[in-house]
């Protein structure tokens, strides 16, 4: 047996996939336990209808689904296939859904999946039961299909067993042993199994298992209705299980699949029906299986009416059976993958549906065996991505139920999240309300996107109105605020950005080891730098300010940065890391008149020589003690000004009293995003992620290969000479053609890349879109096209930055 001792809890479609993938990579001292029988264990996999639609706004989720399809197509059990590749058809019955299918087709194209938009007549050709008078169009994905989940479990169990993996059915997990915050074993009702690594793949039981090591999983089991018709006369004589594409009618929250001469009907339109994990019956107590609850016919009535309208042939049939089947939902609709932050060796692979199961199995296997996942960018799925409030039971239940309701809804990229709101507010919140702030949420923070108090700024300005889609959650005030920032001075609330503090005698050496840039510099230095994984992929971009010999403040991107720092702390206790976000706040004071606002308020020298670019100093602004960093993400003179939360409103009032007489404004995130794209500043998680290296992403300047070793350095030295793609600036002349991100980019008729961030540049008078392209196409002046709904928008590759390339305004 090779590798560490691994125990996988759960032998459903995820646990079986992980056992197969991890044993294929040479780890064979693996035991899989499940409380139920094999291969139908009684969890969600055992009743899953098996529809695999690969289309997703997330590139990662699409790639996980694509791998699942490819793998399942290669599996069989004694000649029975594990995947029926009948294709997938999504139909539209409203004009809004037609546009949504065009957008979804764009995602498929961007992520490299074949898809085709269909006319109503073509929809009927693909699925003859569809009412031609009901549908307005469709989207066909030929590689979608039906996963035979239980067969896929059995096939992967067989493969893993041949390599030495043990599968133990009828073993209920009672506890997980730990010692010195590390797992040592799994206690079952049939004895204890020693373990170095435990992976929870328990699905709807995941929160109960995770609780055994003190870990909170933001996961809720919710009941989802699945019904089966009796024989449909129009399908009489069908000898194959499925011959028509799986079908989605998302306007009515419905999906359909063949089963010989019957149809399966899945429904998301009913009320959310959450179930407490402790109320799920045991395998022996359940009538059919623990994940199957009694069908509630009244909740299905509307679904049956709508089914008969879309598929008139079902009027000659009846609903013969149905279940309320339990599935896992999370607060953001994404899986929960990764290691516990507190107990080493305890991992989770939870909230994973059949659609993504094999991909997740591969991803977690790579992560365990190699120390990182090379096949997929998992930053969206990492279980440690959540803030503390996002683990509160009330929050989890509310958001998980909301995600169930919205599973098939048309969601705008900027659409505000639902209650509970507000949760986190900066000290400036009341002042922002007074100025008519339009708030959107970011990690729980109420973040202004524009201020109605600035409506008068629009007069006399040329602020083009974008297309209808881009004009949602937008105001011309956004453009006015952006232009005014470049003309006078603006105050931006930057409190929502995470702030960490690294202290201790080993702090400098610790950061040198993690960062690509040199941060062990003089007190007052500020450094833009990167965190890399061992493969050279970008984990994050951060800003590091040295405020004292043994104290650094980090401008970070989120909780995954805190998790990364914490996991790499030296064991000798010479370094401490803590999140100081809640106790602090920040105002960005930026614009040509910023110094005229600030200097009269302080005795400290804020001239160009008194505080140089990318330097920090402590000062008093009026009566408020602050730390000022000389940098700007809007490309203008100014500072990020930090103080404690209790002094925040006083700082706001002091600065505003000085800025307003000079024509200064307060400005929101909409203007900020436009201005930062004019300067070409990257946003981690959108423009660059784990799958990209610094040279591809255009941030190679933040890497100092001549410094001592840092994580990822060896890999970068290999990757630097082989850059095949590039994050590229595109400009769009048509002022209405503002794209939103994730659209495909074409060279002629050939898809060649996809858009990351986009906005209108109110200073340069053009639309801006950053996109990943092959290096040979990233040539300034080259004409490309962006796929936007049913349009092809002309765009030109441009030199960056688009604004102030000499940096004279920043350094003034």
């Amino acid at each position: 047996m090779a590798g560490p001792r691994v125990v996988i809890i759960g032998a459903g479609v995820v646990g079986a996939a992980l056992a197969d993938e991890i044993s294929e990579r040479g780890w064979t001292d693996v035991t899989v336990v499940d409380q139920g029988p094999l291969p139908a264990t009684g969890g969600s996999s055992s009743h899953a209808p098996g529809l695999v639609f690969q289309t997703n706004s997330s590139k990662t989720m699409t790639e996980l689904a694509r791998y699942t399809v490819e793998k399942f197509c290669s599996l069989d059990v004694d000649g029975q296939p594990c995947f029926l590749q009948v294709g997938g058809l999504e139909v539209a019955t409203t004009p809004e859904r037609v546009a949504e299918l065009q957008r979804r087709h764009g995602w498929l194209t961007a992520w490299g999946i074949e898809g085709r938009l269909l006319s109503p007549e073509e929809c009927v050709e693909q699925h003859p039961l569809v009412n031609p008078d009901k549908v307005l169009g469709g989207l066909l994905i030929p590689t979608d299909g039906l996963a035979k989940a239980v067969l896929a479990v059995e096939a992967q169990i067989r493969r893993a067993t041949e390599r030495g993996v043990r599968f133990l059915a009828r073993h209920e997990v009672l506890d997980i042993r730990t010692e010195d915050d590390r797992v040592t074993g799994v206690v079952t009702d049939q004895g204890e199994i020693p373990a170095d690594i435990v992976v929870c793949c328990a699905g709807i039981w995941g929160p109960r298992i995770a609780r055994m090591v003190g870990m909170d999983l933001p996961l809720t089991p919710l009941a989802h209705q699945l019904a089966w018709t009796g024989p449909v006369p129009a399908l009489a004589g069908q000898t194959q299980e499925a011959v028509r594409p799986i079908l989605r009618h998302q306007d009515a929250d419905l999906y359909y699949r063949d089963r010989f001469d019957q149809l399966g009907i899945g429904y998301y339109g009913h009320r959310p029906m959450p179930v407490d994990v402790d109320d799920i019956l045991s395998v022996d107590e359940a009538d059919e299986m623990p994940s199957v609850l009694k069908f509630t016919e009244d909740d299905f009535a509307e679904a049956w009416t709508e089914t008969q309208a879309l598929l008139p042939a079902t009027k000659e049939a009846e609903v013969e059976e149905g279940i309320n089947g339990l599935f896992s939902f999370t607060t953001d609709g994404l899986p929960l993958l990764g290691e516990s932050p507190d107990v080493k060796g305890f991992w989770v692979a939870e909230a994973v549906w059949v659609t993504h199961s094999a991909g997740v199995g591969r991803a977690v296997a790579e992560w365990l065996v190699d120390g990182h996942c090379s096949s997929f960018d998992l930053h969206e799925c990492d279980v440690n991505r959540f803030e503390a409030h996002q683990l509160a039971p009330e929050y989890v239940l509310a958001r998980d139920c909301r995600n169930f309701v919205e599973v098939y809804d048309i969601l705008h990229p900027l659409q505000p999240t639902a209650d509970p709101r507000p949760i986190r507010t900066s000290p400036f919140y009341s002042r922002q309300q007074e100025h008519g702030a339009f708030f959107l949420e970011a990690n729980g923070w109420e973040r202004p996107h524009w201020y109605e108090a600035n409506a008068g700024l629009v007069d006399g300005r040329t602020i083009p109105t974008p297309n209808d889609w881009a004009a949602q959650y937008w105001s011309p005030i956004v453009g006015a605020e952006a232009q005014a920032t470049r003309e006078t001075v603006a105050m931006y609330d930057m409190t929502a950005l995470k702030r960490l503090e690294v202290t201790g005698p080993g702090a400098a050496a610790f950061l040198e080891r993690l960062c690509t840039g040199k941060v062990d510099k003089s007190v007052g230095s500020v450094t833009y730098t990167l965190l890399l994984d061992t493969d050279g992929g970008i984990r994050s971009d951060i800003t590091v300010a040295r405020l004292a010999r043994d104290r650094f403040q980090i401008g970070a991107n989120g909780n995954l940065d805190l998790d990364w720092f914490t996991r790499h702390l030296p064991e000798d206790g010479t370094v401490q890391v803590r999140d100081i976000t809640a106790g602090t706040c920040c105002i960005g004071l930026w614009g040509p008149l910023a110094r005229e606002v600030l200097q009269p308020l302080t005795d400290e020298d804020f001239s160009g020589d008194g505080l140089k670019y990318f330097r920090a100093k402590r000062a008093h602004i009026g009566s408020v003690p602050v730390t000022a960093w000389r940098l700007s993400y809007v490309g203008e003179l100014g500072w990020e000004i930090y103080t404690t939360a209790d002094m925040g409103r006083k700082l706001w009032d002091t600065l505003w009293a000085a800025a307003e007489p000079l024509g200064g404004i307060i400005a929101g995130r909409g203007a900020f995003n436009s201005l930062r794209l004019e300067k070409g500043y990257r946003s981690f998680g959108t423009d660059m992620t784990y799958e990209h290296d610094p040279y591809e992403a255009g941030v190679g300047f933040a890497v100092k290969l001549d410094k001592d070793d840092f994580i990822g350095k060896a890999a970068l030295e290999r990757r630097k000479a082989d850059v095949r793609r590039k994050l590229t600036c595109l400009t769009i002349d048509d002022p209405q053609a503002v794209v939103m991100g994730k659209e495909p980019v074409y060279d002629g008729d050939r898809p060649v890349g996809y858009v990351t961030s986009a906005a209108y540049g109110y200073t340069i008078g053009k639309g801006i879109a950053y996109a990943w392209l092959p290096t040979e196409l990233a040539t300034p002046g080259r004409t490309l096209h962006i796929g936007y709904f049913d349009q092809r928008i002309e765009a030109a590759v441009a030199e960056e930055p688009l604004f102030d390339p000499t940096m004279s305004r920043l350094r003034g």
Side-chain angles (χ1 to χ4, degrees):
M1 305 290 275
R5 298 170 298 178
V6 179
V7 174
I8 298 171
I9 300 172
V13 74
V14 180
L18 176 57
D20 180 34
E21 296 282 345
I22 202 170
S23 61
E24 187 177 37
R25 285 160 178 79
W27 283 16
T28 54
D29 193 352
V30 178
T31 303
V32 184
V33 298
D34 200 293
Q35 62 185 340
L38 298 176
T41 62
S44 300
S45 304
S46 301
H47 73 257
L51 289 83
V52 174
F53 286 94
Q54 298 166 85
T55 315
N56 199 291
S57 63
S58 164
K59 181 173 181 284
T60 296
M61 295 299 283
T62 299
E63 290 174 343
L64 291 170
R66 173 166 46 197
Y67 179 79
T68 301
V69 167
E70 292 170 354
K71 182 175 182 180
F72 282 10
C73 282
S74 72
L75 299 178
D76 71 90
V77 175
D78 301 330
Q80 299 180 75
C82 293
F83 195 79
L84 307 178
Q85 201 160 42
V86 292
L89 175 63
E90 302 182 11
V91 295
T93 60
T94 64
E96 293 79 13
R97 185 65 64 177
V98 170
E100 173 69 358
L101 293 187
Q102 292 165 351
R103 188 166 71 114
R104 294 170 70 80
H105 180 248
W107 297 339
L108 288 167
T109 306
W111 314 146
I113 301 282
E114 180 189 355
R116 185 160 58 93
L117 291 166
L118 304 183
S119 67
E121 294 75 21
E122 290 172 318
C123 291
V124 177
E125 288 176 12
Q126 292 292 327
H127 201 299
L129 298 190
V130 168
N131 183 353
D133 297 327
K134 180 79 171 174
V135 299
L136 303 178
L139 173 62
L140 178 70
I141 306 93
T143 52
D144 285 349
L146 283 168
K148 308 289 290 181
V150 175
L151 282 179
V153 168
E154 185 172 357
Q156 292 175 103
I157 286 176
R158 290 184 180 186
R159 285 159 54 114
T161 301
E162 289 175 356
R163 303 187 191 106
V165 175
R166 290 194 306 161
F167 285 83
L168 302 179
R170 295 287 185 174
H171 279 61
E172 182 181 359
V173 174
L174 305 177
D175 198 8
I176 297 172
R177 299 284 192 217
T178 61
E179 185 176 324
D180 296 328
D181 295 324
R182 179 180 289 278
V183 296
T184 60
V186 174
V187 180
T188 78
D189 58 353
Q190 298 192 43
E192 184 169 339
I193 306 168
D196 304 304
I197 293 171
V198 174
V199 188
C200 177
C201 302
I204 55 176
W205 291 278
R208 181 191 297 174
I209 300 298
R211 211 162 52 211
M212 295 176 183
V213 296
M215 186 178 184
D216 295 322
L217 284 185
L219 181 160
T220 303
L222 280 108
H224 160 58
Q225 290 198 302
L226 176 66
W228 294 96
T229 69
V232 178
L235 304 182
Q238 181 173 316
T239 57
Q240 292 177 263
E241 180 177 349
V243 297
R244 278 162 288 277
I246 54 176
L247 179 65
R248 277 207 278 202
H249 177 22
Q250 291 164 297
D251 285 320
D253 298 302
L254 285 160
Y255 63 77
Y256 305 92
R257 57 150 297 178
D258 288 10
R259 188 175 70 180
F260 300 103
D261 63 349
Q262 300 172 303
L263 286 178
I265 308 169
Y267 187 45
Y268 287 106
H270 55 78
R271 61 192 168 92
M273 294 185 272
V275 175
D276 190 296
V277 64
D278 293 321
D279 292 336
I280 300 173
L281 297 177
S282 69
V283 172
D284 293 329
E285 292 173 323
D287 291 336
E288 184 174 349
M289 63 181 75
S291 61
V292 170
L293 306 181
K294 183 179 179 181
F295 187 59
T296 51
E297 293 183 16
D298 289 346
D299 290 302
F300 195 73
E302 188 174 337
W304 184 234
T305 299
E306 185 61 35
T307 294
Q308 291 175 317
L310 181 72
L311 308 174
T314 58
K315 293 177 181 178
E316 301 180 59
E318 295 181 352
V319 174
E320 284 199 347
E321 58 180 305
I323 64 170
N324 287 7
L326 294 180
F327 288 93
S328 300
F329 280 78
T330 62
T331 56
D332 58 7
L334 293 165
L336 309 174
L337 312 179
E339 188 179 21
S340 161
D342 302 312
V343 178
K344 292 180 180 178
F346 182 79
W347 290 67
V348 300
E350 288 290 340
V352 181
W353 293 3
V354 173
T355 300
H356 309 102
S357 58
V360 166
R362 177 175 181 171
V364 176
E366 289 179 353
W367 200 348
L368 286 165
V369 175
D370 302 330
H372 67 273
C373 177
S374 57
S375 296
F376 309 98
D377 163 35
L378 297 181
H379 85 276
E380 294 177 314
C381 306
D382 194 313
V383 70
N384 297 295
R385 64 189 180 269
F386 300 103
E387 299 289 331
H389 74 274
Q390 294 171 321
L391 300 176
E394 178 186 51
Y395 179 95
V396 171
L397 180 60
R399 289 293 171 89
D400 290 358
C401 288
R402 188 67 197 172
N403 279 334
F404 177 89
V405 170
E406 294 179 344
V407 71
Y408 278 173
D409 286 2
I410 299 171
L411 300 176
H412 191 275
L414 296 179
Q415 184 165 322
T417 49
D419 289 336
R421 282 182 67 189
I423 295 176
R424 307 172 84 182
T425 57
S426 79
F428 323 130
Y429 185 59
S430 63
R431 295 291 188 252
Q432 293 164 343
Q433 289 177 306
E434 291 168 5
H435 283 80
F438 178 84
F439 292 101
L440 297 177
E441 187 209 45
N443 277 334
W445 290 100
E446 294 297 320
R447 191 163 66 177
H449 273 241
W450 69 81
Y451 294 88
E452 289 296 332
N454 292 328
L457 287 174
V458 177
D459 296 342
R461 297 179 183 273
T462 301
I463 310 293
T465 299
N467 57 80
D468 290 346
W469 183 250
Q472 294 186 46
Y473 310 106
W474 175 89
S475 165
I477 297 171
V478 168
E481 290 177 358
Q483 292 178 357
T485 300
R486 299 231 187 272
E487 296 163 358
T488 56
V489 63
M491 292 166 49
Y492 288 82
D493 181 2
M494 304 301 290
T495 302
L497 301 181
K498 184 172 280 289
R499 292 170 292 284
L500 308 177
E501 185 177 72
V502 179
T503 57
F510 168 72
L511 289 171
E512 282 289 309
R513 171 67 179 149
L514 267 64
C515 295
T516 61
K518 187 168 179 59
V519 296
D520 188 3
K521 299 186 289 190
S522 62
V523 172
S525 64
V526 180
T527 306
Y528 173 80
T529 185
L530 307 173
L531 305 176
L532 304 181
D533 212 328
T534 53
D535 66 346
I538 301 171
R539 294 279 316 190
S540 188
D541 64 336
I542 61 173
T543 309
V544 180
R546 189 171 201 170
L547 303 182
R549 176 179 174 81
D550 295 336
R551 183 165 69 90
F552 296 79
Q553 183 174 315
I554 313 295
N557 282 300
N559 213 54
L560 290 180
D561 293 343
L562 175 60
D563 182 67
W564 186 254
F565 281 130
T566 302
R567 290 184 188 280
H568 288 86
L569 285 173
E571 296 182 359
D572 60 9
T574 58
V575 184
Q576 296 80 44
V577 177
R578 69 186 184 103
D579 185 348
I580 62 171
T581 309
T584 56
C585 58
C586 178
I587 294 174
L589 181 70
W590 296 314
L593 302 184
R595 189 171 284 122
E596 294 181 40
V597 172
L598 189 62
Q599 190 60 75
L601 302 175
T602 180
D603 293 333
E604 290 291 331
D605 183 3
F606 276 85
S607 68
D609 292 330
L611 185 60
K612 294 182 178 180
Y613 188 54
F614 266 80
R615 297 287 299 178
K617 71 176 350 178
R618 294 176 182 171
H620 284 86
I621 306 301
S623 59
V624 181
V626 304
T627 302
W629 297 15
R630 174 77 191 281
L631 52 87
S632 163
Y633 282 92
V634 301
E636 294 291 339
L637 168 68
W639 305 269
E640 290 183 359
I641 303 173
Y642 298 90
T643 191
T644 52
D646 60 319
M647 299 295 292
R649 200 161 94 166
K650 181 63 175 176
L651 175 63
W652 179 278
D653 290 345
T654 302
L655 291 173
W656 181 237
E660 187 178 25
L662 297 176
I665 65 165
I666 53 177
R669 188 71 182 180
F672 176 92
N673 195 50
S674 171
L675 296 170
R676 71 106 179 161
L677 285 177
E678 289 183 333
K679 283 298 294 179
Y681 293 143
R682 278 59 168 149
S683 173
F684 178 80
T686 302
D687 298 316
M688 54 191 187
T689 65
Y690 295 178
E691 66 177 305
H692 306 117
D693 71 44
Y695 306 110
E696 298 170 329
V699 289
F701 63 87
V703 177
K704 307 303 179 187
L705 287 176
D706 58 348
K707 63 173 277 189
D708 289 340
D709 195 25
F710 56 84
I711 294 174
K713 181 180 179 181
L716 273 195
E717 290 173 332
R718 295 190 299 269
R719 294 176 70 156
K720 185 178 181 180
D722 189 28
V723 176
R724 302 183 184 183
R725 57 184 174 178
K726 184 179 179 182
L727 184 61
T728 307
C729 180
L730 303 176
T731 58
I732 303 166
D733 288 336
D734 183 348
Q736 287 197 318
V738 176
V739 301
M740 302 292 294
K742 302 186 178 182
E743 296 89 359
V745 179
Y746 294 87
D747 179 29
D749 292 328
R750 179 172 63 104
V752 291
Y754 60 92
V755 174
T756 58
S757 294
Y760 190 79
Y762 297 100
T763 310
I764 66 167
K766 292 177 182 285
I768 305 169
Y770 272 78
W772 280 101
L773 298 174
T775 52
E776 64 270 18
L777 297 180
T779 306
R782 188 180 189 103
T783 298
L784 301 169
H785 289 84
I786 298 172
Y788 188 64
F789 293 93
D790 60 345
Q791 305 172 43
R792 293 285 180 92
I793 295 171
E794 186 174 295
V797 177
E799 293 274 11
E800 56 173 335
L802 299 169
F803 178 78
D804 189 27
T806 64
M807 307 284 279
S808 59
R809 295 173 73 103
L810 274 170
R811 299 178 184 273

